[in-house]
Amino acid sequence: MSHNEASRNRWLIALSAVSIHLSIGSIYAYSIYQIPLNESQGWSETSVTLAFSIAVFVLGITAAFLGRYVERHGPRRAGLAAAVLFGLGMVGAGASVQAGSLPLFLATYGVLGGMGIGLGYISPIGTLLEWFPDRRGMATGLAVMGFGAGALLTGPLGNYLIQRFGVATAFYALGGLYFVLMTGGASYLAKPPSGWLPAGMQDEEDAHEKARSALPGIRNLTAREARTSPRFWMVWLIVFINVSAGIMLLAFASPMLQQIGGASATTAAFITGYIGIFNGGGRIAWSSLSDYVGRTTTYGGFMLIQIVAFLVMPQLAGVWLLASVIFLVITCYGGGFACLPAYLSDLFGTKEVSAIHGYALTAWGVAGVAGPQLAAFIRQSTGGYTSALYVMNAALVAGLVTVLVLRWRLGKLRETDAAAGAGAPTTD
């Protein structure tokens, strides 16, 4: 470890992570390309949406399988590789538009871009957990807040570039900008020196062990061991349900506001634009709170809030009342992502948390298909969203039960460890 790396500022490390996530979070603004691509290329809405679906699917697969790459080669190299992949995906998308080739667009934005997003998402997370052992939730929440807020940067800037210079040039310019932001962020990333601790932890007993360990009484696991443990699959199910609920509203917020709340198309679009603020803000707010109340309690709170929200939404007549409930659910959606890395480090330790986080993010990929598809199927079958909201409500009840079972299981593991006295912490 060089002196240069040893003397890095951990808040600048966090800012570096934000710059990476802000860039790849531009995928949340993908809708700005829909009409321009349809008008300039003649590609159907379904074809244009396919590139987005491919990108989301590929990012989930990439996060799952390249977590070990991050562990092996470190955050800087992984972040630089993500910058190259995502930059090439965006520039390639511009070239595809100029060439009028839909297959090339699907391959560049969808596959290359998706790989860049997946690798960029996980590359700084494990490092942040090591730099902030005292505030795990807040640190990772800050990074993924950037991902949730990515649309706030790309939406207006992308629209301006498309209207002024055309959609191909917009892809080129944005690709160049993201490459610079991601390269700058990745270049500063580095693991803390061996034995490093923040000032507030240096006088604590067993501080070094606490900094890297799971919760007291719970054994640290490797990524391979974590994958086969019941607690991992309970967390996976909790994340799947939480993401399914939020992504259903992300996909159908505008038509729901019109059908249930009676909003005009213009008002619905205006309200939908605010979702990015609550998505991003919920990530930092909930993850910071989780450092004080605990991650299991926080996920239980997500489930309780959304059980009530999905139960009352079909009865809400006022547009802004309905919008407020949607905003609250979206904070839980963003908060679920933000609390996840810290929760995994609580349950498995930080040694291989990047790889474990990658495996857990497959829940996002599956939910990204399941939530919207369920809502669309029920909407077509019944002509409304009420049944879809009640079905999701039942899923959230199952999610709350899973949280309670996980809490009970963690308590049993700690009791077993306490009974064992000086023996090694137990596993499940």
Side-chain angles (χ1 to χ4, degrees), residues 21-22 24-25 27-28 117 121 143-151 283 364:
H21 275 236
L22 194 67
I24 58 177
I27 191 171
Y28 275 134
I117 297 169
Y121 193 94
V144 299
M145 177 192 70
F147 191 89
R283 293 172 188 238
W364 180 12

Side-chain angles (χ1 to χ4, degrees), residues 144-169:
V144 299
M145 177 192 70
F147 191 89
L152 298 179
L153 167 69
T154 299
L157 178 59
N159 266 324
Y160 170 77
L161 291 170
I162 289 168
Q163 291 171 12
R164 182 76 189 271
F165 304 106
V167 67
T169 305

Side-chain angles (χ1 to χ4, degrees), residues 13-23 124 128 139 142-147:
I13 293 279
L15 187 61
S16 299
V18 171
S19 72
I20 294 172
H21 275 236
L22 194 67
S23 301
L128 276 175
L142 194 63
V144 299
M145 177 192 70
F147 191 89

Side-chain angles (χ1 to χ4, degrees), residues 12-13 26 38 47 55 75 83 111 146 194 326 330 368 410-411:
L12 290 179
I13 293 279
S26 62
N38 175 257
S47 298
V111 179
S194 178
I326 290 175
I330 294 302
L410 295 176

